[in-house]
Amino acid sequence: VRVAASAEKFSEHPLAKAITKKAKDLSLTISDPEDFQYSPGKGILCRIAGAPAIVGTRALMEAEGIVLPLSQEAEQTSSEVMVAAGGKFLGSLQIVDIPRPEAGAAMRELRSLGCRTILLTGDRKEIAESVAEKLGVAEVQSELLPEAKVEWVRSLRLGGKYVVMLGDGINDAPALLEADIGIAMGSGTDIARESAAAVLLGNDLLRFTDVMKIARRCRNIIY
C-alpha cells in the first residue's frame, strides 16, 4: 500500500484516490515519486526512495519483466492494481467499484428520453457487465484503452449517430474531444474538464438528465 500510494500520490485517477486514502487510514508515510512515467490504461513507472517501482496492470508487470505468482488472480468483481518494487512483485490491491447512488435513476431517465446508453470502460469484462446490469445500461464495452474509447465514439459518429460523451477521468479526455458534445463531471480530473465542451457542476449524474430536458425544451421553443 505504501509503494502504491507513493506512486499514485499526485494522480487524479479514482483508483489512485482510493489507494492514497487507504494509506492515510493506515497512517503510512507516503514519499514523492521520482522519474514518474504514466502509461494511460496501464499504470505507472517511477522511483520511490531510489528504488524502481511499478504500479498498474498485469500486462504492465509482464512487459517490465516482473515474475508474477500463478495464483495471483483478481476477484471477478474487483479492479486489480499490481505493485512491484526493486524488480520484485510485492502484491496486488483489489478495489471494488461502488456506483454513484443516483446513477441508476439517471440511466432510467435517459432511457425515458429515448437515448441509447453505452458504458465504455477500461475495467475487466466481469466488472463492467456487473455495473451495467446494476444500472440498466443497454450496452457495455470493457477493457478499453483511451484510444479504443475514441474509436468507439468515432465509429458511432460515422454510423450517423449523434454522440454525447460523459466522463470524468484522464482516460476519458480523448473520447470527450472526439464526441459531438463532450461533458465532464465537475468533480472529475482537470484534463477531462479541459477536454469537454461543457462541465456539470458537482458530482450528480441526474444533472445531466436535467440538462437534456432543458436543451430539448429550448430547442422546441426555437422550432
Side-chain angles (χ1 to χ4, degrees), residues 186-201:
S187 60
T189 59
D190 290 341
I191 191 170
R193 293 196 299 269
E194 291 166 3
S195 301
V199 177
L200 295 178
L201 296 179

Side-chain angles (χ1 to χ4, degrees), residues 147 149-159 178:
E147 54 267 28
K149 292 183 181 181
V150 172
E151 287 302 318
W152 260 97
V153 172
R154 184 176 295 141
S155 67
L156 289 169
R157 295 184 68 199
L158 291 175
E178 180 65 29

Side-chain angles (χ1 to χ4, degrees), residues 26-223:
L26 295 173
S27 300
L28 299 178
T29 300
I30 303 175
S31 306
D32 289 351
E34 301 171 352
D35 300 330
F36 185 90
Q37 298 177 52
Y38 172 66
S39 179
K42 295 180 181 179
I44 292 169
L45 301 176
C46 66
R47 300 185 75 84
I48 298 172
I54 307 170
V55 179
T57 63
R58 177 179 293 271
L60 180 61
M61 293 289 163
E62 293 173 345
E64 294 298 319
I66 301 298
V67 178
L68 302 175
L70 296 176
S71 60
Q72 193 67 35
E73 293 292 338
E75 296 178 15
Q76 296 298 302
T77 57
S78 65
S79 297
E80 180 185 45
V81 178
M82 310 194 86
V83 185
K88 295 182 179 180
F89 176 71
L90 297 183
S92 69
L93 306 176
Q94 308 297 329
I95 302 175
V96 177
D97 291 297
I98 301 174
R100 300 174 191 268
E102 80 286 357
M107 293 302 104
R108 290 192 294 272
E109 287 278 349
L110 288 176
R111 286 199 301 274
S112 72
L113 293 171
C115 298
R116 172 186 173 191
T117 55
I118 305 174
L119 173 63
L120 303 179
T121 176
D123 277 334
R124 296 199 326 278
K125 181 179 179 181
E126 298 85 358
I127 299 171
E129 290 180 347
S130 174
V131 171
E133 183 178 358
K134 290 177 183 176
L135 301 184
V137 179
E139 302 173 47
V140 58
Q141 297 297 326
S142 57
E143 301 181 23
L144 301 180
L145 292 174
E147 54 267 28
K149 292 183 181 181
V150 172
E151 287 302 318
W152 260 97
V153 172
R154 184 176 295 141
S155 67
L156 289 169
R157 295 184 68 199
L158 291 175
K161 304 298 182 183
Y162 194 86
V163 181
V164 177
M165 171 73 183
L166 183 65
D168 65 359
I170 295 171
N171 294 343
D172 296 327
L176 289 169
L177 287 169
E178 180 65 29
D180 291 292
I181 295 182
I183 299 180
M185 301 298 292
S187 60
T189 59
D190 290 341
I191 191 170
R193 293 196 299 269
E194 291 166 3
S195 301
V199 177
L200 295 178
L201 296 179
N203 199 31
D204 189 342
L205 283 169
L206 282 170
R207 293 196 176 193
F208 174 58
T209 61
D210 291 340
V211 168
M212 291 284 291
K213 292 175 182 176
I214 292 169
R216 288 186 177 189
R217 182 169 179 238
C218 180
R219 182 185 60 184
N220 289 338
I221 290 171
I222 292 169
Y223 284 169

